[in-house]
């Protein structure tokens, strides 16, 4: 995971980073989205704390539809639907790290 992070950190931190989901409280879905500057691409890092549900829809202002998603780390899946992230993480205390770009 560290090797993956190193490969993407420059692009990740060059973007506009916004918190998404709920404030961490031990039971929330929480994370960050990084939007590329002037480009329809970016990254999502989402954590499932001790939430009893394995899927969440997290509103993200400015998130487009028809995006192509590439999983970079974690276990689960992520896509976008109607201005929200739809994230599935099968295990509590899990995460997904993904990159998105305009649909292909």
């Amino acid at each position: 995971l560290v090797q993956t992070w190193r490969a993407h950190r420059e692009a990740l931190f060059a973007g506009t980073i916004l918190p998404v989901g709920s404030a961490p409280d031990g039971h929330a879905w929480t994370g960050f989205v990084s939007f590329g500057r002037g480009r329809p691409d970016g990254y999502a890092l989402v954590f499932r704390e001790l939430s009893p549900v394995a899927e969440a829809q997290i509103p993200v202002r400015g998130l487009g539809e028809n995006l192509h998603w590439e999983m970079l780390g974690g276990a689960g899946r992520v896509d976008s639907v109607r201005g929200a992230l739809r994230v599935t993480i099968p295990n509590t205390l899990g995460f997904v790290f993904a990159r998105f770009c305009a649909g292909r």
Side-chain angles (χ1 to χ4, degrees):
L1 182 59
V2 172
Q3 187 175 15
T4 300
W5 174 77
R6 284 182 181 155
H8 294 274
R9 69 180 165 192
E10 187 174 323
L12 176 70
F13 291 113
T16 301
I17 300 173
L18 303 173
V20 297
S22 300
D25 66 2
H27 298 279
W29 285 80
T30 189
F32 300 91
V33 170
S34 173
F35 288 102
R37 293 212 170 124
R39 301 179 314 268
D41 65 354
Y43 295 87
L45 176 60
V46 179
F47 300 94
R48 174 185 172 191
E49 295 182 327
L50 294 174
S51 172
V53 296
E55 183 175 295
Q57 284 199 22
I58 303 170
V60 179
R61 188 175 178 173
L63 186 67
E65 292 190 40
N66 300 319
L67 297 174
H68 170 75
W69 290 88
E70 175 188 4
M71 288 294 299
L72 300 173
R77 67 174 197 259
V78 60
D79 62 2
S80 53
V81 57
R82 296 182 296 280
L85 290 174
R86 181 172 49 205
V87 184
T88 302
I89 301 174
N91 299 314
T92 57
L93 303 179
F95 74 97
V96 293
F97 178 40
R99 180 170 69 176
F100 62 89
C101 61
R104 295 178 192 179

